[in-house]
Amino acid sequence: MATLSCRVMGHPVHSVVWLKNGLPLAASGPVNLVSRDILQINPVRREDSAMYQCFVSNDQEIVQGTAELFVAEDAPVFTYAFSEQAVHPGSPVSLKCSASGNPLPQVTWLVDGYPVPEAYHIRVGDYVSDERTVNSYVNVSSVTVEDGGTYQCIAQNGVRSIDHSRRLNVFGPPFIRQMRNVTALDGQSIVIHCPVSGYPISKVYWEREGRPLPHNHR
């Protein structure tokens, strides 16, 4: 909350007018004129950073006062983040992340490094609560083995980006989501992730051109 006070002296006072960056200020939403000489903003938003002026007048003179409001930017923080789950096929699943910050963060979702797919039984959405927190979710109405994997929510607002990831394990046979091709320069280190689902998984092994890859090589 920010409070700006325009101390008025002299008598009589016919009018007190507030301006924001040289334009008339409308008292609406979070902007409230507590009295003619006290302006209150609650909650303070990024767009409230501005130069504020109050003009006081009577029959003899017009005077003004000026104050600049600086709104600090806060990096996003998670106020809630989903946990790892193990569920049976056909069960409903809801994954939720809540993040606050200034400006309000944007939240995106990935599964095994890829955007959460659009499907009839999967819904991704968000809403803003009264506490200036964005609540984002992935709802799966009837989960399948193919929906399993490592889910990641990413919150970013221009100040910083943070992320949270946990596995959604679905009981059933192994399933590997289609992998993307990787391009690398000679001598460059790369990491290739196997996007496997199904639960429990007893073993994961790699092959190259039909031959098993040795462990701990390069």
Side-chain angles (χ1 to χ4, degrees), residues 51-167:
M51 189 72 71
Y52 292 83
Q53 296 170 287
C54 66
F55 285 82
V56 181
S57 65
N58 60 16
D59 292 335
Q60 299 180 12
E61 194 173 2
I62 298 177
V63 294
Q64 67 162 312
T66 303
E68 188 169 3
L69 175 61
F70 297 94
V71 179
E73 295 185 338
D74 296 324
V77 293
F78 286 120
T79 58
Y80 177 85
F82 64 98
S83 303
E84 182 168 331
Q85 300 183 42
V87 298
H88 290 276
S91 301
V93 172
S94 182
L95 308 177
K96 178 182 174 183
C97 277
S98 299
S100 62
N102 185 37
L104 198 65
Q106 290 186 329
V107 179
T108 55
W109 288 85
L110 303 177
V111 54
D112 290 327
Y114 306 117
V116 173
E118 295 182 3
Y120 72 94
H121 65 303
I122 299 176
R123 182 178 180 183
V124 181
D126 56 43
Y127 62 93
V128 178
S129 64
D130 294 338
E131 294 80 14
R132 296 289 294 169
T133 298
V134 60
N135 305 282
S136 187
Y137 58 85
V138 174
N139 287 342
V140 186
S141 60
S142 180
V143 73
T144 66
V145 171
E146 290 82 358
D147 298 322
T150 299
Y151 282 77
Q152 180 182 28
C153 60
I154 304 168
Q156 51 190 345
N157 67 351
V159 180
R160 195 173 67 183
S161 176
I162 59 174
D163 65 272
H164 169 83
S165 59
R166 291 291 186 274
R167 282 197 62 82

